[in-house]
Amino acid sequence: MTDQPGPGDLAVLVPAAWKEVFRSVPREFFIPDAVQAGPMGDEPPYWVDRTEDPDRWRAAVYADTTLLTQIVDGTVELSEDTVRTGAPSSSSTAPSLVGEFLALLDPYPGDRVLEVGTGTGWTAALLSERLGVSSVTSVEMDEQVSKVAAGHLEAAGYRPNLVVGDGLAGFPQGAPYERVHVTCAVREVPFAWVEQTRPGGVIVAPWSPVQVRGHKLRLRATGDRAIGRLHGGTAFMMARSQRPGYPSPQGESRESEARLDPMAVTRAGPGLEMAVAALLPGVVVNGIGEGDDRVGLHDPVTGAYALAVRPENGGAAEVTEYGPRDLWSEMEAAYLAWVGLGEPELERFGLTVDAEGRQVWLDQPRNLVR
């Protein structure tokens, strides 16, 4: 008879400095009885219910899975049927990803941590185990999610400071913090986090400026700004107040032919995303790096929209646009600017965040992309 899955199975998935912490905080305390499990890799997601199959539920909890715990901001009850169509809004992130972000955070003993996005409470517990509950403040926008997380944490023996509010504003009452740990994706990094981080402190967040897919961002605060680099790709749910929204195109459409083949964009490396983030700030792009025959662009502020589609038999792509901006022409210019830089890879880009906003740079902070 084999042993049941447990915290030790998660410890093997995370960096060495966090193995003992993961062994000490059983994930089962933080997972509802019925969830959708999304394994890392190519395996499809599946529904699991503890009351129907406790062994399968436990196996999902102690595997490298993201466990979806809420859809549509809690306005629709999560079930095996509703999960197929409801937009995800809260989850317990896959342990390997949690470990990667905590390793980037790299808190020292005595550090005070601001966590943005309490979720199930599991990462707040991991931080509490490492640093002590008095060092951890976790902010959650959804009052019900925060209430449930408080119950999870108490059952597991932890009582960090839990706050209901918009984590994008931080929690100035507890500042300054040595570390800011963000568990939701952001399109723009709030300057409030920089203001509330002690000089020399670290901010770690999933940054998704262009697409749903994003990047692991690590910034170091200097007092009036924060500067840092990207550390590989990731995908997280977007912070609620930064969701771009997709209103229907307004007005009459404009048709044209593209100079640039859309597949040049969809087959480009992720470094192109950084050029787009710098040159088309705020614009959402679907298709970069996906190898498809079409690229869609959307500006949530003006409602401008563009779709470029490559004909099956080749030739100039057909472009359909709405709204006040010629987004496809702007996309072509951004792509050619990236080519002019030598098609730099993602790892060569960095980010500076200050009171004026954010600036994307190549290789060194003084070398701004603009």
Side-chain angles (χ1 to χ4, degrees):
M1 181 176 179
T2 59
D3 293 334
Q4 280 192 318
D9 294 281
L10 302 186
V12 302
L13 302 172
V14 302
W18 288 90
K19 289 185 183 299
E20 191 55 41
V21 172
F22 275 70
R23 289 191 188 99
S24 300
V25 184
R27 194 186 188 196
E28 64 200 83
F29 283 107
F30 302 90
I31 306 303
D33 286 346
V35 294
Q36 178 175 268
M40 295 290 285
D42 297 329
E43 186 180 340
Y46 58 94
W47 183 256
V48 59
D49 191 325
R50 187 179 195 176
T51 60
E52 296 177 359
D53 192 339
D55 291 339
R56 190 171 189 235
W57 178 89
R58 188 176 181 87
V61 169
Y62 289 112
D64 200 16
T65 57
T66 290
L67 300 171
L68 181 61
T69 58
Q70 187 196 70
I71 58 173
V72 201
D73 298 339
T75 61
V76 175
E77 185 178 354
L78 181 68
S79 71
E80 189 170 6
D81 292 328
T82 61
V83 74
R84 296 169 184 158
T85 56
S89 54
S90 190
S91 69
S92 175
T93 301
S96 62
L97 277 178
V98 173
E100 288 172 8
F101 274 97
L102 290 174
L104 288 173
L105 192 71
D106 189 27
Y108 307 150
D111 280 354
R112 287 173 293 179
V113 177
L114 171 67
E115 180 182 55
V116 177
T118 308
T120 65
W122 185 44
T123 54
L126 294 168
L127 289 165
S128 297
E129 176 68 22
R130 178 72 174 265
L131 301 169
V133 293
S134 63
S135 295
V136 179
T137 296
S138 185
V139 183
E140 171 60 51
M141 175 174 280
D142 189 312
E143 184 175 3
Q144 182 60 27
V145 168
S146 182
K147 181 179 179 180
V148 171
H152 292 163
L153 284 157
E154 187 166 351
Y158 301 97
R159 290 187 178 180
N161 182 30
L162 301 184
V163 177
V164 176
D166 186 356
L168 299 191
F171 186 66
Q173 295 91 321
Y177 305 97
E178 282 73 33
R179 297 291 189 270
V180 176
H181 178 253
V182 184
T183 69
C184 56
V186 291
R187 302 179 71 224
E188 301 294 342
V189 179
F191 185 61
W193 297 348
V194 180
E195 291 181 300
Q196 294 172 33
T197 303
R198 189 184 299 280
V202 171
I203 301 167
V204 172
W207 185 48
S208 300
V210 175
Q211 303 190 114
V212 173
R213 185 181 68 246
H215 311 281
K216 295 186 283 288
L217 174 66
R218 186 179 194 267
L219 300 170
R220 179 82 70 175
T222 68
D224 60 350
R225 66 192 63 194
I227 303 169
R229 292 183 178 272
L230 305 168
H231 296 266
T234 190
F236 276 71
M237 298 172 195
M238 189 66 64
R240 296 185 186 187
S241 58
Q242 289 197 3
R243 292 172 184 166
Y246 294 91
S248 300
Q250 301 296 314
E252 295 185 2
S253 65
R254 306 186 301 277
E255 309 293 333
S256 62
E257 290 187 350
R259 291 189 304 149
L260 180 69
D261 185 343
M263 293 191 76
V265 173
T266 66
R267 292 189 175 186
L272 175 59
E273 291 185 43
M274 295 303 101
V276 173
L279 301 173
L280 279 71
V283 173
V284 179
V285 183
N286 295 316
I288 296 177
E290 296 178 3
D292 202 353
D293 62 355
R294 63 192 60 212
V295 176
L297 301 100
H298 168 61
D299 176 8
V301 175
T302 66
Y305 172 81
L307 177 66
V309 182
R310 187 180 198 263
E312 290 185 7
N313 298 323
E318 301 168 353
V319 180
T320 303
E321 296 190 88
Y322 296 84
R325 295 178 65 175
D326 294 323
L327 285 178
W328 180 249
S329 294
E330 294 182 42
M331 180 72 235
E332 290 180 332
Y335 175 85
L336 295 174
W338 175 67
V339 171
L341 292 170
E343 302 183 26
E345 295 295 330
L346 182 73
E347 291 73 18
R348 291 182 59 193
F349 289 94
L351 191 70
T352 297
V353 179
D354 59 24
E356 301 301 317
R358 48 99 164 160
Q359 299 86 40
V360 177
W361 44 265
L362 181 65
D363 294 328
Q364 297 193 28
R366 65 174 178 268
N367 189 20
L368 299 181
V369 180
R370 55 189 176 188

